């Protein structure tokens, strides 16, 4: 008997010895955890240390890099046996999404610091992994814990470096001190100022794209997204607030309660305050709690008070001192409690996970989409990233809910049609992303209430209650077209962002390009307004002209029509004044001051990562010193402008526009141009209805306020596609309206607008807000002297995912003259 015990005793002794020898975060870093903000490279060092010292229980991988080249890490933490069988555990677990696996392990994924200045969670992650490897290692016998110590290291280091630069020594708890007040660009966002916690579904950012590749290889049972909120708020944990999306199962709801009660047990014992079932709902699909939920997990947000206001310590509104150590303790407690409960319920989590993927029976079985090939391809690219299957339907037609009319209808199937079915592994996610109007159980919600992909991508669509048969689909590779060298001109269409990228690259290469302001036909082919015309005569002195055109058209999959003449069959000949040269614009954008970092970041990302066109950023602090004559276009991103520009500054802008400059004013920037000393845009005034002035009970005040709110709803607008701002569009456009700001129609140049009795096709809009936005401008152009002001009331670049709005912005840059 003794000889059988000896190997066990030796292994146990080795395990205890290694655990005892592991350095705590404080021992490794050389300072007590919670007395400093640990920079990302130091966090990486600690995780690498643990993986080196306990390689049989920690597997560390680098799953990508940020825009600023910081590594993105995942640590897999479990028992030695589980780590040695990690790949087989993963594969067996994924079988539960199909025919059914045979695993007994719980998979828990803990995500930290998606918002950079909510900086406590990365600190808490180091304490969590240390305790899992030492005092709480018993949780790991039947549980694999996947830890992402910092989703947003660029933002976190931005905050940590700023705080270390401005803090008092050791720190100042007075909230008025500089160390509690970040500047315009705080640490919340990533490099491009995007909120990564709104990007799980849209995948516009490199951090999200790289993370989701790995996430979809695991699909954990439980996912926690660690956050911070305002410094005066107590801790928030599950269960979440209403609205819950209707696809969320009873078990997913109930298990949140199970976890919440366990957390409460520890918080009660310590006398810590907390709240549940308020504020943070489970509806918008692109969060770190909802996206996992729609993929079968128990997805949760945990919110600690503090954030960028907290620093190392701060006195709260009720006179308590909140320290970083306190914040670490709270996040550590809920993290460990989550692993504990998951370990205790591993069998239940596995069985319910199987049921989630088995019990999918939705009203709409298939979504069939038609439209421009570039837009179809863009949607396919997104679906592939989510591992959503799609195909090509057979010929004929399909009946069902028509997205364009909001009622029953039919649509012919074409060679370019796309079908996406809910009869697949990712069926629940398909329903959530494609359904025409998500069901709201409560209109008080934390984010936008409409996002349907057919509207976002500008595609005709039918939601069918029948399963539409299809062949497996893929995204086709671009085919390099043949360019006839002896042609007079080369013509191509203008319908999508890909066309704008093509144009931008030609302009950067010094190729001269013209645009058609009228439809025309030539040599038996018809072309619409906005079509690009590249003549050999305009480029006769450009070396390698044909080679550049050939390479660029191949890169973007552009079909080029070669013409041996400029004499059209109908329309305007190529020498007409209606065939205008597109000037290569020099573009500047205002930053800082009144601009929103989120709105600025959307435009910055659009130029650098989508359009690939140069942009000069001018900060508000020195904008008065800049000679605007050096630029053709000035972009004013959305923000809180009010009366930001004084009379002298407005006069300077007016004179520059009159000389031929172009302002693109977006969202709140329009307010700065409205008024007596401004331009022609005017806010819409509403008649005051005395019947609405009756006092309401205090308890209903929040619900009264939402009558004036639009929480991200989709409206159908009218489009004048003869206007250069609307080239490439049809007669309708579905806009995502984010608020009740409304402006009167312009005297001319109303390219996109809402008519009388406009109502949301999808999402929530309060009754008073709907009245306010009726008969109002969406996108328009005011001619001022030789220049223009482009007004964009709604945001065509919102979060980088409203794909069908991007051509409007490209038109504002290149087509409006």
């Amino acid at each position: 008997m003794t000889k059988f015990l000896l190997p066990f005793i030796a292994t146990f002794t080795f395990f205890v010895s290694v655990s005892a020898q592991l350095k705590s975060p404080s021992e490794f870093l050389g300072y007590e955890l919670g007395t400093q903000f640990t920079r990302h490279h130091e966090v990486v060092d600690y995780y690498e240390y643990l993986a080196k010292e306990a390689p049989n229980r920690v597997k560390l991988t680098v799953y990508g890099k940020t825009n600023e080249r910081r590594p993105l890490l995942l640590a897999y933490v479990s028992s030695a046996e589980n780590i040695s069988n990690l790949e087989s555990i993963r594969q067996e677990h994924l079988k539960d999404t199909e025919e059914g696996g045979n695993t007994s392990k719980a998979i828990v994924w803990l995500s930290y610091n998606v918002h950079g200045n909510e900086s406590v969670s990365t600190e808490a992650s180091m304490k969590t992994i240390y305790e899992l490897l030492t005092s709480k290692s018993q949780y790991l016998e039947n549980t694999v814990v996947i830890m992402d110590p910092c989703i947003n290291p660029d933002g976190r280091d931005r905050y940590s470096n700023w705080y270390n630069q401005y803090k008092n020594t050791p720190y100042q708890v007075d909230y008025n001190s500089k160390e509690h007040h970040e500047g315009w660009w705080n640490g919340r966002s990533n490099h491009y100022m995007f909120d990564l916690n709104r990007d799980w579904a849209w995948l516009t950012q490199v951090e999200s794209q790289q993370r989701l590749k790995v996430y979809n290889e695991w699909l954990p049972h439980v996912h926690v997204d660690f956050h911070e909120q305002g410094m005066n708020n107590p801790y928030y944990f599950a269960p979440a607030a209403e609205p819950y999306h209707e696809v969320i199962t009873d078990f997913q709801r109930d298990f949140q309660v199970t976890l919440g009660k366990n957390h409460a047990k520890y918080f009660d014992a310590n006398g810590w305050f907390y709240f549940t079932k308020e504020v943070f709902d489970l509806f918008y699909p692109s969060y770190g709690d909802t996206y996992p939920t729609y993929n079968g997990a128990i997805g949760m947000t945990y919110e600690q008070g503090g954030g960028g206001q907290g620093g190392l310590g701060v006195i709260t509104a009720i006179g308590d001192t909140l320290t970083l150590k306190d914040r670490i303790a709270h996040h550590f407690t809920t993290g460990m409690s989550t692993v504990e409960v998951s370990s205790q319920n591993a069998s239940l989590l596995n069985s319910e996970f199987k049921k989630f993927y088995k019990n999918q029976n939705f009203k709409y079985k298939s979504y069939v989409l038609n439209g421009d090939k570039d837009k179809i391809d863009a949607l396919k690219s997104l679906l592939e990233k989510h591992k959503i299957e799609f195909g090509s339907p057979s010929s004929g037609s399909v009946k069902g809910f028509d997205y364009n009319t909001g009622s029953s209808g039919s649509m012919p199937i074409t060679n370019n049609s796309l079908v996406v079915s809910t009869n697949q592994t990712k069926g629940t996610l398909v329903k959530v992303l494609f359904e025409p109007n998500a069901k709201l159980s409560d209109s008080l919600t934390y984010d936008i209430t409409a996002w349907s992909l057919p509207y976002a991508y500008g595609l005709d669509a039918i939601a069918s209650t029948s399963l539409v048969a299809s062949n497996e689909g893929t995204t086709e590779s671009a085919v390099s077209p043949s360019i006839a060298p002896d042609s007079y001109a080369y013509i191509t269409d203008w319908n999508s962002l890909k066309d704008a990228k093509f144009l931008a690259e030609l302009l950067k290469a010094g190729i001269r390009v013209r645009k058609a302001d009228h439809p025309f036909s030539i040599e038996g082919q018809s072309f619409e307004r906005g079509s690009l015309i590249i003549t050999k005569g305009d480029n006769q002195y450009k070396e390698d002209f044909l080679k550049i055109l050939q390479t660029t058209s191949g890169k973007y999959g552009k079909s080029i029509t070669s013409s041996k003449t400029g004499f059209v069959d109908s329309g305007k000949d190529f020498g007409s004044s209606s065939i205008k040269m597109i000037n290569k614009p020099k573009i500047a954008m205002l930053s800082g001051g009144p601009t929103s970092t989120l709105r600025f970041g959307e435009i910055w990302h659009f130029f650098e990562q989508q359009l690939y066109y140069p942009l000069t950023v001018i900060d508000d602090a020195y904008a008065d010193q800049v000679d605007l004559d050096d630029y053709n276009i000035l972009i004013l991103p959305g923000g809180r402008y009010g009366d930001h520009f004084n009379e002298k500054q407005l006069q300077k802008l007016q004179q520059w526009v009159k000389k031929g400059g172009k302002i693109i004013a977006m969202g709140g920037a329009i307010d700065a141009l409205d008024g007596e000393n401004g331009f022609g845009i005017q806010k819409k005034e509403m008649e005051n209805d005395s019947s609405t002035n009756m006092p309401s009970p205090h308890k209903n005040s929040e619900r009264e306020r939402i009558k004036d709110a639009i929480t991200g709803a989709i409206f159908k607008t009218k489009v004048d596609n003869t206007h250069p701002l609307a080239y490439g569009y049809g007669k309708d456009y579905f806009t995502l309206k984010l608020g009740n700001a409304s402006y009167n129609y312009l005297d001319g140049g109303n390219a996109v607008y809402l008519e009388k009795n406009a109502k949301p096709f999808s999402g929530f809009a309060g009754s008073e807000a709907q009245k306010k936005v009726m008969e109002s401008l969406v996108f328009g152009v005011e001619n001022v002297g030789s220049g223009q002001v482009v007004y964009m009331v709604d945001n065509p670049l919102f979060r980088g995912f409203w794909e069908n709005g991007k051509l409007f912005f490209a038109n504002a840059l290149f087509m409006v003259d």
Side-chain angles (χ1 to χ4, degrees), residues 67-232:
N67 290 290
E68 297 174 16
R69 305 190 306 280
R70 292 180 176 88
L72 296 163
L73 304 182
L74 279 179
Y76 300 86
V77 189
S78 196
S79 67
E81 181 182 359
N82 290 340
I83 292 296
S84 67
N85 294 303
L86 196 61
E87 179 58 18
S88 62
I89 291 172
R90 183 187 73 83
Q91 291 182 6
E92 198 65 28
H93 167 63
L94 289 182
K95 289 178 182 178
D96 282 347
T97 65
E98 297 173 357
E99 72 275 9
N102 186 28
T103 180
S104 58
K105 306 296 186 289
I107 314 295
V108 178
W109 187 304
L110 305 178
S111 292
Y112 299 90
N113 242 124
V114 66
H115 293 147
N117 60 358
E118 297 175 9
S119 48
V120 63
S121 64
T122 291
E123 308 290 340
S125 82
M126 292 187 284
K127 181 174 175 60
T128 301
I129 190 173
Y130 173 74
E131 296 297 338
L132 284 173
L133 291 169
T134 55
S135 65
K136 299 297 182 182
S137 60
Q138 68 272 20
Y139 296 164
L140 303 178
E141 293 302 314
N142 68 343
T143 304
V144 175
V145 180
I146 305 171
M147 300 180 68
D148 188 334
C150 189
I151 288 177
N152 180 13
D154 288 352
R156 190 174 192 278
D157 266 5
R158 186 185 314 124
Y159 172 75
S160 298
N161 291 333
W162 172 86
Y163 184 80
N164 289 333
Q165 180 181 1
Y166 285 102
K167 77 178 184 71
N168 292 105
T169 301
Y171 57 88
Q172 173 57 260
V173 295
D174 183 352
Y175 176 64
N176 293 318
S177 185
K178 169 70 175 175
E179 66 192 80
H180 302 294
H181 298 272
E182 296 173 87
W184 174 75
W185 189 4
N186 59 36
R188 179 183 176 90
S189 59
N190 77 338
H191 172 80
Y192 280 109
M193 304 187 191
F194 270 65
D195 185 333
L196 293 179
N197 193 39
R198 272 77 174 168
D199 197 47
W200 278 76
W202 318 135
L203 301 178
T204 67
Q205 301 302 294
V206 293
E207 295 92 343
S208 307
Q209 294 162 10
Q210 295 169 113
R211 181 179 67 256
L212 210 73
K213 285 181 183 178
V214 189
Y215 188 90
N216 275 319
E217 291 173 357
W218 278 95
L219 296 177
H221 297 116
V222 176
H223 180 267
V224 179
D225 199 17
F226 290 88
H227 284 262
E228 289 190 81
Q229 53 187 322
M231 69 179 198
N232 294 312

Side-chain angles (χ1 to χ4, degrees), residues 635-652:
I635 301 171
L636 302 178
R640 297 181 179 179
Y641 285 73
D643 297 325
H644 179 74
F645 297 130
N646 59 39
E647 186 174 346
K648 183 178 179 181
Q649 291 169 322
L650 280 172
Q651 288 175 352
K652 179 182 176 180

